[in-house]
């Protein structure tokens, strides 16, 4: 009798619940303002893009030994956090950097401590960066500089400049992060042709002609002043993110500017 009463007073099982969590998102300003993507590209003329906050799954990607060895950890990570369909290998250097810095800041906070090496005595020291102090660089949107140097951004995302000696109208293209990495590797392997290789990579058209055989033939015979003009102007125009910080070596006193290396290790908190 008492057992029956106890059973009758037993609590009914609680209704089952389903745990869920909606990952927040944020908008990241693009240094390029979307001006250097073709009209077919999802980022064309977009000044900002939406990304998801980092998750534990993203940390798995960034710490995966196999993905890092294959050199695709950052690519997989970007595919995961960017809202919308975009080929991440097509992202311009500065835009990819901006997205990575924003993701690191929202994931672990704005402070990033890393080990830097003195360029003079090779002593290693710890240096703290404040990611909130990032600066957008590049003078492609500096109206006065663009006007003074007769620079135009074309509808198809190229930069048109006029060379000082030959007066050729040259169209330059901004490099993606993948192209930048490949270009750097090629230069290390072919140091004897560093100037012409650089020009061949940057110059898309000359006087409206994009036939590579003709373009490369003209590049080989460009006056040195024209060649130097391209190589001086281009870096000043590239929209990018700078996280440079002045560093003084505690061992030898050498002062230098240090940049945050934006590799997969950038996301690993100390």
């Amino acid at each position: 009798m008492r057992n029956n009463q106890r059973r009758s007073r037993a609590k009914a099982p609680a209704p089952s619940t389903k745990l869920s969590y909606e990952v927040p998102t944020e908008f990241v300003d693009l240094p390029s303002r979307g001006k250097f993507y073709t009209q077919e590209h999802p980022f064309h003329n977009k000044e900002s893009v939406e990304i998801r906050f980092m998750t534990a799954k993203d940390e798995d990607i960034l710490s995966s030994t196999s993905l890092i060895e294959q050199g695709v950890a950052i690519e997989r990570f970007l595919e995961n956090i960017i809202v919308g369909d975009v080929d991440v290998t097509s992202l311009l250097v500065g835009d990819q950097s901006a997205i990575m810095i924003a993701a690191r800041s929202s994931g672990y906070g704005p402070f990033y401590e890393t080990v830097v090496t003195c360029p003079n005595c090779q002593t290693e020291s710890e240096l703290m960066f404040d990611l909130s102090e990032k600066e957008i660089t590049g003078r492609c949107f500096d109206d006065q500089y663009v006007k003074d140097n007769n620079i135009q951004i074309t509808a198809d995302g190229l930069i048109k400049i006029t060379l000082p000696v030959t007066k050729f109208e040259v169209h330059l293209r901004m490099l993606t992060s993948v192209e930048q990495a490949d270009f750097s590797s090629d230069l290390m392997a072919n140091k004897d042709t560093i100037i012409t290789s650089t020009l061949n990579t940057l110059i898309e058209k000359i006087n409206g002609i994009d036939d590579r055989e003709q373009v490369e033939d003209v590049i080989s015979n460009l006056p040195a002043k024209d060649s130097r003009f391209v190589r001086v102007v281009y870096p000043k125009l590239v929209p990018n993110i700078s996280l440079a910080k002045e560093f003084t070596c505690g061992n030898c006193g050498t002062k230098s500017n240090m940049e945050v290396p934006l590799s997969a290790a950038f996301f690993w908190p100390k």
Side-chain angles (χ1 to χ4, degrees), residues 65 108 186:
T65 302
Y108 299 130
D186 289 344

Side-chain angles (χ1 to χ4, degrees), residues 182-202:
D182 290 343
F183 174 55
S184 298
S185 297
D186 289 344
L187 288 186
M188 292 299 294
N190 301 288
K191 294 182 179 180
D192 292 339
T193 58
I194 189 169
I195 302 300
T196 54
S197 294
T198 299
L199 296 175
N200 281 323
T201 300
L202 301 180

Side-chain angles (χ1 to χ4, degrees), residues 114-118 122-127 247-251:
T114 188
V115 175
V116 296
T117 303
C118 174
Q122 307 305 309
T123 298
E124 292 187 341
S125 307
E126 291 185 346
L127 185 63
F247 165 73
T248 302
C249 178
N251 182 54

